Amino acid sequence: VKLSKLPSAYLYQNVYYTILDDHPVGKMTELLPMDRIMFASDFPHSDGIWPHSKKVADSLTKTMSDTHARMITHDNVAKLYGITV
């Protein structure tokens, strides 16, 4: 089977990624598929960031544009699960 695209193209089109407190994401928005990244608290797992989710999300998105912050905290999840508001 010959791939017509780079493997990364298949990842960018078919995979969603979740982040917890991965602060480098805020500095790499031009390199990452921001329409596929979603903020997660990993509740109820003990190694998650809950109950500090809001504080971590605010810190994580402070260097991002409003558009990117909204994408990873809301829009991408709504798109993936077909949620309309």
Side-chain angles (χ1 to χ4, degrees), residues 66-79:
D66 290 343
T67 299
H68 284 151
R70 184 164 169 82
M71 288 169 78
I72 71 166
T73 59
H74 174 272
D75 293 349
N76 295 342
V77 174
K79 179 176 73 173

Side-chain angles (χ1 to χ4, degrees), residues 25-30 34 57-58 60-73 75:
V25 169
K27 296 178 178 140
M28 299 172 61
T29 57
E30 299 304 317
M34 294 305 289
D58 289 344
L60 180 71
T61 59
K62 71 181 174 186
T63 61
M64 292 182 190
S65 68
D66 290 343
T67 299
H68 284 151
R70 184 164 169 82
M71 288 169 78
I72 71 166
T73 59
D75 293 349

Side-chain angles (χ1 to χ4, degrees), residues 5-81:
K5 299 179 183 178
L6 293 173
S8 57
Y10 289 94
L11 288 172
Y12 290 168
Q13 293 172 355
N14 297 296
V15 176
Y16 280 83
Y17 309 88
T18 59
I19 59 172
L20 295 171
D21 55 354
D22 304 291
H23 287 83
V25 169
K27 296 178 178 140
M28 299 172 61
T29 57
E30 299 304 317
L31 301 172
L32 297 173
M34 294 305 289
D35 63 332
R36 296 287 179 155
I37 296 174
M38 303 175 292
F39 174 74
S41 68
D42 211 22
F43 176 83
H45 300 114
S46 61
D47 60 345
I49 58 171
W50 184 89
H52 308 288
S53 306
K54 172 82 168 98
K55 184 168 96 172
V56 173
D58 289 344
S59 175
L60 180 71
T61 59
K62 71 181 174 186
T63 61
M64 292 182 190
S65 68
D66 290 343
T67 299
H68 284 151
R70 184 164 169 82
M71 288 169 78
I72 71 166
T73 59
H74 174 272
D75 293 349
N76 295 342
V77 174
K79 179 176 73 173
L80 175 63
Y81 292 107

